[in-house]
Amino acid sequence: MSGISATGTGTGTGAQLRVSGYTIGTCSGIVAAVAQPETITVSSGNVTVNTALLVTNSLGGRCLYTGRLTGTMVIGGNSATVTGTMNLVATLSGICTGTFSMRRTFTFPFASISW
């Protein structure tokens, strides 16, 4: 991920970041495009991303998924890698799979998140 557009609010144990856009670097598998807003929460180093994904795949499928990705961040850090499983909520068109595993790394270049 690059070109992240986000606003953040400090909390007693870290931060809450509302991501409104970014650019996908590479996707493995059949995912052709992904678009969504989401919230990233950092609490005492634990990172949680609750997300809804609208995925357009190379088979012509438009698929809506939801899931929770988790990871960790070091004190004063500005990046994290999160992993989790995304579950199909709705098939809008074409062919969609029921679930898929996701791993994402994000960096906020000018941030320093502490707790």
Side-chain angles (χ1 to χ4, degrees):
M1 293 172 51
S2 63
I4 296 173
S5 176
T7 55
T9 303
T11 66
T13 59
Q16 186 161 18
L17 306 150
R18 177 74 177 156
V19 178
S20 56
Y22 53 81
T23 302
I24 298 291
T26 58
C27 293
S28 61
I30 62 169
V31 176
V34 179
Q36 87 285 352
E38 62 194 10
T39 301
I40 299 170
T41 303
V42 180
S43 180
S44 299
N46 295 309
V47 180
T48 303
V49 180
N50 290 310
T51 188
L53 299 172
L54 176 58
V55 175
T56 303
N57 65 42
S58 60
L59 301 174
R62 285 183 30 119
C63 318
L64 180 61
Y65 294 90
T66 61
R68 174 177 285 184
L69 310 175
T70 59
T72 59
M73 180 179 283
V74 298
I75 291 177
N78 67 351
S79 67
T81 297
V82 292
T83 60
T85 300
M86 302 301 295
N87 299 298
L88 181 65
V89 174
T91 299
L92 305 175
S93 65
I95 299 171
C96 301
T97 61
T99 64
F100 67 90
S101 296
M102 181 174 232
R103 174 185 165 100
R104 291 184 17 207
T105 300
F106 57 87
T107 301
F108 299 96
F110 302 105
S112 177
I113 300 172
S114 298
W115 49 92

